Amino acid sequence: MISGGAGVGKTQITKRYAEIYKNHYDIVWWFDTNRNLPEQYRDFAEKWNSISKNSQKIDLDSLN
């Protein structure tokens, strides 16, 4: 987790990390804390399920 005051470079550090290590991850997902988080998580889960193996799927029914 990255935290800090506004304007200290959190977003830039996170974006750079994602660029450097992109080959280590199947998916990178940004959550906007100013928007509806459950809705964003469901969007993520649906995308994740579309690319993941059966044993790694997120149970969408448990999100209700």
Side-chain angles (χ1 to χ4, degrees):
M1 181 166 105
I2 296 177
S3 63
V8 297
K10 297 178 301 293
T11 300
Q12 290 80 5
I13 289 170
T14 305
K15 285 182 177 180
R16 184 66 182 136
Y17 178 90
E19 290 170 5
I20 292 170
Y21 293 101
K22 67 183 176 185
N23 294 329
H24 294 249
Y25 300 96
D26 294 323
I27 188 172
V28 174
W29 201 270
W30 296 90
F31 289 91
D32 181 348
T33 58
N34 294 315
R35 291 185 38 233
N36 182 302
L37 288 174
E39 180 180 302
Q40 292 178 80
Y41 185 70
R42 177 171 279 286
D43 291 344
F44 161 76
E46 289 172 352
K47 177 65 174 176
W48 176 256
N49 285 350
S50 74
I51 66 168
S52 68
K53 297 177 177 77
N54 287 336
S55 63
Q56 298 176 333
K57 291 193 182 286
I58 298 169
D59 179 9
L60 296 176
D61 291 334
S62 70
L63 300 179
N64 294 328

